[in-house]
Amino acid sequence: MRVVVDLTRCQGYGQCVFAAPDVFAMPGQESLLYDPDPSDEQREHVLRAQAACPVQAIHVDRLAGHVPGPRPYPYPAPDSAPDRGDGFRRSGRIVIVGASLAGVRAAAVLRRDGFAGSLTLIGDEPHEPYDRPPLSKQVLTGRMPLEHTTLPRLRDLDAEWLLGQRATGLDVAGKRVRLADGREVEFDRLLIATGARARPWPNEAEAALDGVRVLRTIEDATLLRRRLASGNGRVLVIGAGFTGSEVASVCRELGRPVTVVDRGPAPLAGALGRVIGGIAAQIQREHGVDLHCDTTVIGLDGDAEGRLRAARLSDGTTLEVETAVVGLGAVRNVDWLEGAGLAAGVWGVGCDAGCRVFDINGVVTDDIFAAGDIARFPHPAYEFQFLALEHWGNAVAQAEIAAHNMVSDQTRRWAHLALPVFWSSQFGINIKSVGVPTFADEVVIAQGSVAERRFVAVYGYRGRVTAAVTFDQAMWLEFYQRMIERAAPFPPDFAMVGRPAEMLPVPAEVPPRVAVAQGATVVVTGHDPGERRATLVRRPQ
Amino acid sequence: MAETSVFARILDYANRADPYPLYAELRETPVLRVDGRYVVSTYREVVELLHDPRISSIREEDVAGGGPSDGESLPGLPPAFIRRDPPDHDRVRRVAMRHFGPPRSPGRVEGMRGALSEIVTGLIDGFADRTRVDVVDDFAYPLPVTAICRLLGVPTEDEPRFRVWAAALVEAIDPRAGEATQRRRVEAGLELRAYLDELAEARLRQPSGDLLSALVTDDGVEGAMSRDELLSTASLLLVAGHETTVNLITNGMLTLLRHPAELDRLRRDPGRVVPLVEELLRYEPPVQMLPQRTALDDIEIAGTTIPKGATITLVLAAADRDPGHFPDPDRFDPDRADKEHLGFGGGIHFCFGAPLARLETRLALSALASRLENPRLVADPPPYRENVALRGPRHLLIEFDGVAPPPGT
């Protein structure tokens, strides 16, 4: 059986652990770990756990079912959207490029909502689609076998799966996707969900050293797991974002010495700002991480056999290291869209809040949609800025919106207005976030205690609440979500339980926002309105 | 005036057997002001307030001194964590949870399955030469007390004494309880406190595998729990885990007898008890309302401002019948896809004993369904207890043709 827990919904009630202690575990106060592929003898326990979940976040053998609970905004019932009147829902052709979480979720929603036409999924990885969050957590610790990460129920989708096939081009006018082997797949409507890949170590020779790894795919996780299990030397983590910090946490759990290097002022500072990042830094050091902030790795050195031996840091340190994990973020998989005439570039694929992709001129297309890590869409709650969100929850929520809109007429379209929610589990602490913490000028600890590592941090921008981050306090997150949705004033100045004696907003020190498509150079040609065109000038990065 | 009267009618004992039509009326005003109290009854609003940090569970009488006036805490002890706020609430509950469930003791409740199953079997075996029993007195009452005794580690020979104290305390939860009842509560409370204190002392000297031993020997890594807090917690487990479970089991049997097709399906398919108990928690929850929470600040909700200092009543049972969240809410339907009910509350005060209540009720209803031959209600509706918040039948007389041996024998 396949189990998926929507950890964006999970509030840490732990009822599943009571019901099925061999499948679900809470190693800290709130972080939930689980085996997504438990043996059949656990079925009864898992079904009990599913029934008992107070927020109904446990999905068994499905990726799209009834979504219970109060939704962040009113959706029409899923089956209420009528056909566009052209028979598309019965006999149309939908192609989804990208067969990971967003693509698979969209396929499941299309079928749930009654799309009966042909459905093709194209994915460049040869495996059945799998869930990535465990790769930097329970897979890496060895608690969970790698093959258990497979996503549920794909055979029942009645879809054609072209796995291990890379899409290399898109012909928008001819409505065709080109594959690496030269084949072409025709579509009536297309979903772009090709996501992102790990950003490699920029020095190719150093990146090729044995022991230098990234972590994004199941192969990456296999190789890294093997190294962590077999060696005992120092691990260097380059980049203290969420992936890097989670890897560092796993290393400490396994008793491996680990050095974390980040060019920024603190771990997680890129996502949560320097203030909360500073707390993350304390936590890392308490757990024995050798943390170097405001530091870069200036070189990786190998031996004669090409094995990684040492790292040189900008602060003058030279370290003997056995493994280096490159956690420098992601590169969006837009290469195959080059020349297609869409608003695609290093920033991702531009689309409207209904997931319809913009062409390079900024005009919305009718039949091409985008969802997941690759999509960049305007969010009304954030001054209509275009956001690309590389979160599990966003992939799931946005894919549902895209799928719905692909089979609905324009009066029934939904907008992707859900606030971003993400989570991370590291050093025994469950970190959750709602809103956009980088969209802030101030931050305040509104509840709990930093010293106890249990608190709610609230972010504000120009006097309104824009985000909240909890450390082991997930049950309060929805309250702050509503404050964000209602543009409540910042700082929150009401009496409440668990409020610290003093509530002092401080500068959030988030990284400066840069223009969405910074660096994109466009040439506009033509004179008559009918022939004006924009062309993106590609430059080597 | 009509609005005021709907809550008054809900409180009126005459409507105890079926408050649900009144809840529908109540929901027409999601936040209703009645005599300075704010009664919230719609699903979305109740969920919001359960997660709102501007709401306190501390009661005025606890602060003012004189101690808790009902059975949820023992006289002279600090209020149990159910009536405290963070950070105290979190600390005490965390230490208690350390020995009751995850992360440290994930298997304790599941580990009680065998023992509880035996108790259930024994109670139903006792019906063998009878054709009429009271589900409340003969079954639903003894089960939870015995379960709590086993959990805490009360020696079997002391269980009868424990039951007497428990009954005296539970009786006093009713707001209409008279002076004599309150006097009995205080006496029982003092005896129970002395007993638990002595037992804790004994377990400190010589720990065994039970919850009390674990609590009294806790190393304080997650924060310290004083002896008084420990006794307060133990008595909370006893009292809060008692009446509620009795009512859940009794409501369950009543609901099954009112829906014979469901009883039949349960008999044929024991696995069905899992969704059935969840639907029961939505449809006939033992905790109908959380009568007394306090707004620490002005709270705007559903177009109303609940002013700072106001008393708030969250009517969980009305929210669970809200057609805005549950389609066809008055239908008892274990196949309902949405099981996000509020039967155990929500937020930081989510029922501590929920896993134990679920386990007991599943075992109880499965066994009753599979072993009683042709069971039927003697009276419908049965007589109810006074209590409006912890609602349930005082007695549930049923008749049956015989008792089958336990399955698998």
Side-chain angles (χ1 to χ4, degrees):
Chain A
M1 65 194 306
R2 298 285 177 185
V3 179
V4 174
V5 182
D6 183 348
L7 291 171
T8 55
R9 285 188 63 75
C10 174
Q11 294 180 13
Y13 288 101
Q15 301 299 300
C16 54
V17 189
F18 280 104
D22 294 331
V23 177
F24 301 91
M26 289 176 78
Q29 286 302 319
E30 203 175 274
S31 297
L32 182 70
L33 295 180
Y34 65 98
D35 181 350
D37 188 14
S39 65
D40 273 345
E41 66 213 45
Q42 289 291 334
R43 172 168 286 274
E44 216 179 305
H45 294 276
V46 170
L47 294 179
R48 281 189 210 136
Q50 181 188 30
C53 176
V55 292
Q56 296 286 287
I58 301 174
H59 301 272
V60 177
D61 289 335
R62 65 173 191 206
L63 242 192
H66 172 75
V67 184
R71 300 196 167 187
Y73 53 95
Y75 286 90
D79 54 359
S80 68
D83 207 295
R84 282 193 195 177
D86 52 6
F88 177 77
R89 285 164 79 94
R90 280 193 313 281
S91 55
R93 294 169 302 175
I94 288 181
V95 170
I96 298 174
V97 184
S100 192
L101 184 63
V104 173
R105 160 80 172 168
V109 171
L110 284 167
R111 289 303 191 212
R112 180 194 75 188
D113 290 1
F115 174 67
S118 86
L119 187 55
T120 306
L121 283 100
I122 300 167
D124 63 347
E125 293 190 62
H127 330 275
E128 280 201 39
Y130 55 90
D131 205 24
R132 291 182 205 276
L135 298 184
S136 54
K137 307 177 187 79
Q138 57 274 51
V139 165
L140 218 49
T141 57
R143 268 183 222 240
M144 179 170 129
L146 201 67
E147 60 277 13
H148 284 202
T149 55
T150 307
L151 288 170
R153 190 170 276 201
L154 303 175
R155 284 170 208 86
D156 298 358
L157 277 179
D158 185 23
E160 185 181 4
W161 294 86
L162 301 177
L163 298 179
Q165 306 277 345
R166 179 183 296 274
T168 54
L170 171 64
D171 175 356
V172 173
K175 292 196 159 185
R176 281 188 293 256
V177 173
R178 260 191 314 282
L179 302 183
D181 64 4
R183 265 191 297 169
E184 295 194 327
V185 184
E186 295 190 340
F187 62 84
D188 296 318
R189 268 161 224 162
L190 173 73
L191 178 65
I192 297 172
T194 40
R197 60 184 182 272
R199 185 182 299 282
W201 183 240
N203 180 319
E204 281 183 35
E206 292 177 8
L209 289 171
D210 181 17
V212 180
R213 298 274 169 234
V214 292
L215 180 54
R216 176 86 190 177
T217 66
I218 209 161
E219 286 84 4
D220 298 336
T222 311
L223 294 167
L224 188 54
R225 167 67 199 152
R226 207 172 290 157
R227 283 196 82 85
L228 293 184
S230 60
N232 54 18
R234 180 165 293 274
V235 177
L236 171 68
V237 175
I238 308 172
F242 282 103
T243 304
S245 298
E246 287 178 0
V247 170
S249 170
V250 167
C251 289
R252 292 310 300 142
E253 196 180 329
L254 297 173
R256 297 287 297 266
V258 59
T259 296
V260 174
V261 176
D262 196 281
R263 70 185 319 152
L268 312 181
L272 305 183
R274 183 179 187 156
V275 178
I276 304 306
I279 298 165
Q282 291 169 16
I283 293 171
Q284 293 207 1
R285 291 196 169 109
E286 281 161 14
H287 283 81
V289 172
D290 171 36
L291 178 65
H292 298 247
C293 296
D294 296 312
T295 306
T296 53
V297 174
I298 53 178
L300 298 173
D301 302 325
D303 62 15
E305 279 80 48
R307 283 185 302 238
L308 175 67
R309 284 293 179 221
R312 283 169 283 120
L313 311 185
S314 61
D315 61 8
T317 315
T318 298
L319 292 165
E320 246 183 72
V321 293
E322 190 179 80
T323 301
V325 182
V326 180
L328 296 176
V331 183
R332 296 187 175 86
N333 292 319
V334 292
D335 318 58
W336 68 287
L337 294 170
E338 191 167 345
L342 299 179
V346 290
W347 59 84
V349 174
C351 61
D352 69 9
C355 306
R356 294 180 305 163
V357 170
F358 292 121
D359 73 12
I360 185 66
N361 305 306
V363 176
V364 77
T365 56
D366 288 335
D367 297 318
I368 302 178
F369 296 77
D373 289 7
I374 200 164
R376 189 176 282 275
F377 64 100
H379 204 304
Y382 296 96
E383 298 181 344
F384 292 92
Q385 285 202 21
F386 278 72
L387 305 176
L389 303 167
E390 297 170 18
H391 309 147
W392 193 97
N394 182 63
V396 168
Q398 198 172 22
E400 179 171 22
I401 303 291
H404 172 88
N405 289 345
M406 289 177 88
V407 293
S408 303
D409 71 43
Q410 62 180 0
T411 63
R412 304 262 177 176
R413 280 189 198 126
W414 294 347
H416 183 44
L417 297 180
L419 291 178
V421 178
F422 68 85
W423 80 93
S424 170
S425 172
Q426 46 183 284
F427 304 101
I429 294 172
N430 188 36
I431 303 175
K432 286 189 86 166
S433 163
V434 63
V436 183
T438 51
F439 202 95
D441 47 27
E442 286 190 304
V443 64
V444 68
I445 304 298
Q447 281 181 270
S449 149
V450 170
E452 288 184 29
R453 310 300 186 218
R454 282 184 278 265
F455 61 86
V456 182
V458 179
Y459 293 73
Y461 182 67
R462 294 188 179 171
R464 72 176 176 91
V465 175
T466 51
V469 170
T470 59
F471 278 43
D472 277 351
Q473 293 278 295
M475 281 180 195
W476 299 119
L477 205 65
E478 278 182 17
F479 172 74
Y480 294 97
Q481 177 174 329
R482 282 191 299 277
M483 290 188 71
I484 300 165
E485 285 166 352
R486 292 168 192 177
F490 179 91
D493 60 350
F494 33 73
M496 56 186 169
V497 300
R499 184 181 155 141
E502 269 193 307
M503 233 164 64
L504 291 175
V506 296
E509 298 187 60
V510 299
R513 276 197 301 281
V514 292
V516 169
Q518 195 177 41
T521 305
V522 164
V523 178
V524 180
T525 57
H527 299 285
D528 294 338
E531 61 180 30
R532 298 273 291 170
R533 291 284 180 273
T535 311
L536 188 64
V537 179
R538 304 254 163 196
R539 288 184 305 192
Q541 284 177 41
Chain B
M1 273 324 282
E3 284 178 350
T4 314
S5 69
V6 64
F7 192 64
R9 276 181 286 149
I10 288 168
L11 296 180
D12 184 352
Y13 177 71
N15 291 310
R16 200 66 75 247
D18 186 12
Y20 297 103
L22 294 172
Y23 289 159
E25 217 175 298
L26 185 64
R27 280 192 307 267
E28 286 169 18
T29 314
V31 182
L32 176 68
R33 187 173 170 197
V34 188
D35 304 334
R37 171 192 298 268
Y38 288 76
V39 181
V40 186
S41 56
T42 43
Y43 186 92
R44 190 194 308 240
E45 282 67 32
V46 169
V47 170
E48 277 194 23
L49 293 182
L50 284 170
H51 290 86
D52 194 320
R54 294 169 297 183
I55 291 191
S56 168
S57 296
I58 293 174
R59 299 207 185 166
E60 217 174 284
E61 69 260 28
D62 293 353
V63 179
S69 61
D70 63 28
E72 277 172 358
S73 292
L74 295 187
L77 289 179
F81 61 74
I82 196 174
R83 304 168 62 146
R84 299 176 87 170
D85 289 340
D88 288 339
H89 162 274
D90 293 7
R91 171 179 51 82
V92 177
R93 182 169 164 135
R94 191 166 59 238
V95 177
M97 187 56 87
R98 230 180 145 213
H99 305 291
F100 180 71
R104 200 161 171 259
S105 317
R108 186 184 290 275
V109 172
E110 197 52 33
M112 292 176 69
R113 177 178 291 273
L116 291 174
S117 193
E118 272 174 40
I119 299 167
V120 168
T121 302
L123 288 169
I124 300 181
D125 285 347
F127 302 170
D129 49 1
R130 302 166 63 179
T131 54
R132 176 189 269 227
V133 298
D134 178 359
V135 172
V136 178
D137 286 347
D138 298 330
F139 186 78
Y141 241 98
L143 176 60
V145 193
T146 317
I148 294 286
C149 286
R150 299 289 164 87
L151 177 73
L152 286 175
V154 174
T156 320
E157 63 269 22
D158 292 341
E159 280 181 16
R161 292 167 72 198
F162 219 71
R163 265 182 228 177
V164 173
W165 294 324
L169 291 172
V170 164
E171 213 182 333
I173 292 179
D174 198 318
R176 300 180 182 206
E179 226 172 275
T181 311
Q182 291 301 346
R183 217 171 27 246
R184 273 201 302 280
R185 176 187 78 88
V186 172
E187 282 164 19
L190 289 172
E191 282 176 36
L192 176 63
R193 179 188 169 168
Y195 175 84
L196 284 172
D197 202 16
E198 206 175 297
L199 189 61
E201 206 50 52
R203 293 294 189 258
L204 185 60
R205 286 192 303 269
Q206 196 176 0
S208 62
D210 53 66
L211 183 61
L212 202 58
S213 299
L215 287 174
V216 81
T217 56
D218 183 83
D219 56 14
V221 164
E222 292 291 345
M225 194 196 268
S226 69
R227 173 63 66 88
D228 279 358
E229 284 173 333
L230 187 154
L231 297 177
S232 196
T233 299
S235 77
L236 172 71
L237 296 185
L238 171 68
V239 175
H242 183 57
E243 179 84 350
T244 49
T245 314
V246 174
N247 288 340
L248 184 59
I249 293 170
T250 311
N251 289 346
M253 195 55 193
L254 176 62
T255 303
L256 283 172
L257 291 170
R258 283 172 173 171
H259 298 83
E262 284 303 333
L263 180 61
D264 230 42
R265 291 184 66 181
L266 176 59
R267 202 176 278 136
R268 290 194 309 268
D269 174 13
R272 199 166 163 77
V273 78
V274 172
L276 192 137
V277 170
E278 298 310 316
E279 176 67 346
L280 189 60
L281 283 158
R282 182 194 73 83
Y283 183 81
E284 283 275 26
V287 181
Q288 298 265 307
M289 59 184 80
L290 304 172
Q292 213 179 327
R293 301 229 169 150
T294 307
L296 295 176
D297 213 320
D298 289 356
I299 297 172
E300 255 183 68
I301 185 155
T304 303
T305 300
I306 301 176
K308 177 177 180 168
T311 296
I312 301 172
T313 295
L314 302 176
V315 190
L316 305 174
D320 272 342
R321 299 270 190 128
D322 184 345
H325 189 84
F326 295 101
D328 200 3
D330 293 325
R331 204 162 82 84
F332 179 72
D333 176 14
D335 290 323
R336 197 175 279 283
D338 188 345
K339 296 179 171 54
E340 207 170 324
H341 60 74
L342 305 175
F344 288 126
I348 60 168
H349 291 287
F350 182 87
C351 176
F352 183 86
L356 186 57
R358 279 194 170 103
L359 180 59
E360 288 177 51
T361 309
R362 287 170 184 165
L363 291 171
L365 295 181
S366 301
L368 289 171
S370 68
R371 296 191 62 194
L372 298 186
E373 290 165 7
N374 188 26
R376 54 218 177 254
L377 287 173
V378 171
D380 191 5
Y384 273 78
R385 294 174 199 286
E386 283 278 348
N387 199 311
V388 65
L390 307 182
R391 171 180 162 272
R394 177 169 297 284
H395 299 288
L396 183 68
L397 290 178
I398 59 166
E399 288 180 343
F400 45 85
D401 297 343
V403 177
T409 55

